[in-house]
């Protein structure tokens, strides 16, 4: 009888102990899950970047918004930033950054005019070769130029997009022979109709757009290379936006690491 009572007493104690351990274990699991939940719920700071239609580098209608936008996305990931990409006309993108409405815009070439009013990223975010497109049927002997100003003696109309780097140069040197439009599709339609003879554009962009916008004359399209240097593209930061002071250093460090570890180069190998 004493043994039975002792067993029952110990059994009861054991049950109580196991019950307490179960409660402690559950509390531990809840604590761990809560900690993970808090970590996963931490919101990254959002930054809106203005860009425009310039495929295959950046476009609202292609995969991952284009190679340059993809590179900026990777840099934001490394910098702990949640990017929001807003596609607007190029002139608006530039003015909004200049006036401090938005933190940054991309991609842009370096020009003296832009360097006076906006701040460039320390590292380039993409690159291109610039060429002049024309119809072979208009120039059966091909076009040979070393600089853009070599187009002046041709005395024909040249189409360009408002806000692009060459706008001031062409307005000054070409006068009435420079036809400025708001969208790149318009330059190709003008070339197709014979209203202009040249379209100045980055090689990758022109090859992409000619197939998309004027497929009927795509086989008649040729291009002339000028100035063998590579044109680099950058992020432009607003000097007056309050967030630019912390966004730029983070992204500069991210772009630096992408150039050093080969990530930047790998994006362009995939594009080719």
């Amino acid at each position: 009888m004493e043994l039975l009572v002792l067993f029952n007493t110990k059994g009861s104690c054991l049950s109580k102990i196991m019950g307490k351990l179960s409660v402690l274990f559950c509390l531990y699991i809840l604590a761990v899950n809560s900690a993970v939940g808090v970590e996963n719920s931490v919101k990254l700071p959002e930054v809106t970047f203005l860009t425009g239609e310039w495929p295959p580098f950046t476009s609202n209608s292609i995969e991952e918004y284009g190679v340059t936008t993809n590179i900026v996305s990777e840099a934001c990931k490394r910098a702990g930033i949640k990017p929001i990409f807003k596609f607007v006309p190029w002139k608006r993108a530039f003015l909004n950054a200049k006036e401090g409405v938005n933190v940054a815009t991309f991609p842009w070439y370096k020009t003296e005019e832009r360097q006076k009013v906006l701040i460039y990223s320390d590292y380039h975010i993409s690159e291109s070769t610039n060429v002049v497109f024309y119809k072979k049927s208009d120039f059966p002997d091909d076009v040979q130029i070393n600089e853009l100003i070599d187009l002046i003696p041709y005395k024909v109309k040249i189409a360009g997009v408002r806000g692009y780097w060459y706008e001031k140069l062409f307005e000054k040197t070409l006068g009435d022979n420079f036809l400025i439009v708001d969208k790149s599709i318009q330059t190709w339609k003008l070339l197709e109709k014979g209203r202009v003879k040249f379209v100045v554009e980055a090689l990758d962009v022109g090859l992409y757009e000619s197939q998309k916008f004027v497929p009927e004359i795509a086989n008649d399209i040729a291009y002339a290379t000028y100035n063998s240097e590579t044109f680099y593209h950058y992020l432009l930061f607003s000097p007056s936006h309050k967030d630019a002071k912390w966004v730029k250093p983070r992204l500069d460090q991210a772009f630096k690491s992408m150039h050093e570890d080969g990530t930047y180069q790998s994006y362009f190998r995939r594009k080719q």
Side-chain angles (χ1 to χ4, degrees), residues 168-209:
K168 297 296 183 183
L169 171 66
F170 280 3
E171 285 178 344
K172 181 179 179 180
T173 58
L174 297 176
D176 293 338
N177 280 334
F178 179 48
L179 189 57
I180 189 76
V181 296
D182 292 319
K183 297 181 179 180
S184 58
I185 185 175
Q186 296 171 287
T187 64
W188 295 101
K189 292 299 182 181
L190 290 170
L191 182 66
E192 181 182 37
K193 295 175 181 178
R195 292 184 57 192
V196 300
K197 297 298 183 182
F198 295 114
V199 171
V200 180
E201 189 54 273
L203 177 59
D204 292 303
V205 177
L207 294 176
Y208 180 95
E209 290 185 340

Side-chain angles (χ1 to χ4, degrees), residues 1 5 27 56 62-63 74 87 89 96-97 100 102 124 132 137 144 188 194 226 239 245 247 270:
M1 179 66 67
V5 172
L27 290 174
I62 59 179
E63 184 180 359
E74 173 62 23
F87 290 82
N96 279 12
N102 292 94
H124 62 269
V132 177
S137 55
Q144 301 292 331
W188 295 101
Y226 65 92
K245 292 181 179 179
V247 173
R270 291 204 300 267

Side-chain angles (χ1 to χ4, degrees), residues 42 45 51 64-65 68 73 140 152 165 202 207 209 232 262-263 270:
V42 173
T51 186
E64 297 181 322
Y65 299 144
T68 307
S73 293
I152 296 175
W165 65 273
L207 294 176
E209 290 185 340
Y232 294 107
T263 303
R270 291 204 300 267

Side-chain angles (χ1 to χ4, degrees), residues 121-125 233-235 252-253 255-256 259-260:
S121 56
D122 289 350
Y123 294 83
H124 62 269
I125 60 174
H233 320 149
Y234 298 83
L235 259 169
D252 280 338
Q253 184 60 41
F255 290 131
K256 179 177 184 291
H259 278 270
E260 290 177 346

